Amino acid sequence: MPRSSATASTLARPAPSEAGLARLTAFLEHLAHERRLSVLTVEHYGRDVRDLLALIDGRPLESLNVHDLRRCLSRLHAGGLSGRSLARKLSAWRTFFTWLVRDHGLPSNPAIGLRAPKAPKRLPSSLTPDESAQLLDGPADDDMALRDRAIFELIYSSGLRLAEVAGLDPMDVDLVDGSVRVTGKGSKTRVLPIGRQAIAALQAWLPLRNRLAKPGETALFVGDRGARIAHRVIQTRLKSLAQQRGLTANVHPHVLRHSFASHLLQSSGDLRAVQELLGHASISTTQIYTHLDFQHLAKVYDAAHPRAKKK
């Protein structure tokens, strides 16, 4: 059974109670206005907690214990949800109950100490430098193609997330200084360098943007109707361009971000610098997200380790 239909059937239960939904609404307002999380992050929290409310059959939240939540996870797992998705849901539930304990008098957090099934760590795919050039160096013969080139060059040049590049305004980019100011996860801001090719692509796009953007629009990248470009449009246009350029890989914006990290790490070996450029709070995230090929690591080992050096 496909995962989506299995999960949907698992959650085909009585509607959540009004009290549960009211608490969820207040929780999401807390995330949006007090913690200032992004709209997308708040939506993800809402979906995950809504799934919990659907699974508990209208029971009061105060009555739940760790065994109840474990059964909820088991049912989702049986419905086809991966360990990674279960871990994300459990994290959202834990945050929800923490808020209820702290601000609404819930006696205890039933999610404390509960663990989701471990998911295998997967390295994101990346393009080789030659494949990156094959994707980005072709002709751009109309307004939207010039816009796309500026978007894709900027993602690859500076390692931006999809939401980060879509959320940019012209004032965030300094082409003289060669930098871009990005607001990432948790509303954290970082200033990143822009490469020469990305600067050239932006210089070609900005006059078109000023002509195409509808009055009052603040977005750097706009669609054919003059409004801020949608995430889905960027994803679809990148996938289509990759196919036109003869790439067999499934190319999406995260692949370009990972390619940026991989190529930079392979050239510099500076994991801390890559961590800062990517905006990762923990270097362990960067270690999973980026990788050096084994041959490069073997060369470093052979050159540096005292037991590996040839006499």
Side-chain angles (χ1 to χ4, degrees):
M1 182 181 292
R3 178 181 302 173
S4 58
S5 60
T7 304
S9 64
T10 300
L11 299 179
R13 308 195 58 80
S17 68
E18 291 185 9
L21 289 175
R23 283 180 164 177
L24 172 58
T25 299
F27 173 61
L28 298 182
E29 290 176 353
H30 159 75
L31 295 179
H33 302 302
E34 295 182 34
R35 292 186 54 183
R36 297 185 179 182
L37 301 184
S38 71
V39 173
L40 189 60
T41 300
V42 173
E43 287 177 359
H44 288 168
Y45 271 104
R47 181 186 60 205
D48 292 335
V49 175
R50 218 170 268 114
D51 284 351
L52 172 65
L53 297 178
L55 284 162
I56 63 176
D57 293 338
R59 287 180 55 188
L61 292 167
E62 292 84 354
S63 70
L64 300 179
N65 58 43
V66 65
H67 304 294
D68 296 319
L69 296 194
R70 185 175 288 115
R71 281 191 289 271
C72 292
L73 289 175
S74 297
R75 291 173 60 189
L76 291 171
H77 194 217
L81 220 57
S82 69
R84 188 181 300 273
S85 296
L86 291 172
R88 189 200 66 239
K89 286 189 182 297
L90 179 56
S91 175
W93 299 354
R94 188 178 294 115
T95 303
F96 178 54
F97 283 113
T98 298
W99 173 76
L100 289 173
V101 169
R102 189 189 66 205
D103 295 349
H104 294 272
L106 204 73
S108 62
N109 187 337
I112 295 295
L114 186 60
R115 294 179 178 272
K118 286 189 177 180
K121 293 180 179 179
R122 295 178 299 169
L123 287 171
S125 58
S126 65
L127 304 177
T128 66
D130 286 344
E131 288 172 332
S132 300
Q134 182 180 340
L135 175 70
L136 298 172
D137 286 348
D141 49 12
D142 60 40
D143 292 352
M144 294 299 97
L146 287 168
R147 177 205 62 193
D148 293 346
R149 171 178 283 174
I151 293 173
F152 305 151
E153 285 280 7
L154 191 54
I155 294 174
Y156 179 56
S157 166
S158 304
L160 304 190
R161 298 178 176 95
L162 173 59
E164 291 172 345
V165 74
L168 289 175
D169 295 337
M171 63 184 297
D172 295 323
V173 175
D174 186 338
L175 297 183
V176 175
D177 186 47
S179 65
V180 57
R181 186 178 67 251
V182 175
T183 302
K185 290 185 176 180
S187 298
K188 294 180 180 178
T189 301
R190 62 193 194 279
V191 178
L192 305 170
I194 305 175
R196 176 175 52 85
Q197 297 285 359
I199 289 175
L202 286 165
Q203 288 172 332
W205 161 245
L206 279 171
L208 298 174
R209 181 264 170 209
N210 294 335
R211 176 167 57 84
L212 296 172
K214 65 182 183 181
E217 178 56 61
T218 63
L220 174 60
F221 297 113
V222 299
D224 52 10
R225 295 184 180 181
R228 187 178 298 275
I229 192 169
H231 294 188
R232 179 61 64 184
V233 172
I234 297 175
Q235 293 168 324
T236 301
R237 297 279 295 189
L238 178 56
K239 184 174 184 177
S240 176
L241 179 65
Q243 292 172 344
Q244 292 173 21
R245 299 279 162 86
L247 297 177
T248 57
N250 178 23
V251 181
H252 48 83
H254 195 67
V255 169
L256 285 183
R257 174 171 156 87
H258 181 59
S259 300
F260 154 85
S262 295
H263 299 165
L264 192 62
L265 188 56
Q266 288 172 12
S267 298
S268 69
D270 192 335
L271 193 63
R272 287 289 182 186
V274 174
Q275 175 195 358
E276 291 186 18
L277 290 169
L278 291 172
H280 286 161
S282 169
I283 199 164
S284 63
T285 306
T286 314
Q287 288 170 325
I288 296 170
Y289 186 86
T290 60
H291 65 281
L292 292 167
D293 62 80
F294 180 78
Q295 292 299 322
H296 179 78
L297 287 174
K299 289 179 181 177
V300 172
Y301 177 85
D302 288 341
H305 197 285
R307 289 291 192 183
K309 292 178 180 178
K310 295 181 180 179
K311 294 183 178 179

